[in-house]
Amino acid sequence: MNVPAGDAIRIGATTPPTTLTLQGGLAAAGAPALIASNVGGHIVCNTSGAWTITGGSGTTDARAGIVTGLASGTGNITAIGSAISITGGSGTSPGLNYAGLFTGLASGSGNIDVTATSVSLTGGSSTGTNYARIATPAGGGTITLNTS
């Protein structure tokens, strides 16, 4: 895999790991499970197997996903794996439990490029916001899904 120089995080550039698992925790203020770029630069993650990203059970934030422009700034994310499964958490009161792929979530931007055999998004399960979405809301950017 050719990895551009200057990436902030490179996982699997030499030997791809077989799986990637992110599990949000249990915290009152937040338990998200996110691969997120903000102001630090690009993220490239290459695995030979499946990905599982699951939000936790924090009261206010149990999101799960791949996100660019989390608060501001830019940075692209390249994700390569077999099956990618993203499931929102079970936060309450009001609970952000969504699952998704988002570019420019707040005021930043950046592109997301996903190559996988399948991509599955499942919203969370509690009171609050439980959707599953692929969106380019505030700051913009592109999302490319390559599946086979």
Side-chain angles (χ1 to χ4, degrees):
M1 176 175 128
N2 293 324
V3 178
D7 291 324
I9 299 172
R10 294 186 291 177
I11 299 170
T14 305
T15 304
T18 54
T19 61
L20 173 70
T21 302
L22 298 177
Q23 172 65 56
L26 170 60
L34 300 170
I35 295 176
S37 68
N38 203 22
V39 295
H42 305 305
I43 298 171
V44 177
C45 186
N46 179 23
T47 68
S48 61
W51 291 36
T52 303
I53 302 173
T54 306
S57 56
T59 38
T60 58
D61 185 354
R63 299 172 290 171
I66 300 174
V67 181
T68 64
L70 182 62
S72 64
T74 61
N76 300 327
I77 298 174
T78 301
I80 302 166
S82 61
I84 295 178
S85 173
I86 301 173
T87 304
S90 58
T92 60
S93 182
L96 295 175
N97 306 312
Y98 58 78
L101 305 174
F102 300 94
T103 61
L105 187 62
S107 62
S109 65
N111 301 322
I112 297 173
D113 185 6
V114 176
T115 300
T117 54
S118 65
V119 176
S120 169
L121 300 175
T122 305
S125 59
S126 192
T127 58
T129 306
N130 296 302
Y131 57 75
R133 290 189 181 159
I134 296 173
T136 57
T142 62
I143 298 173
T144 304
L145 295 176
N146 304 295
T147 59
S148 59

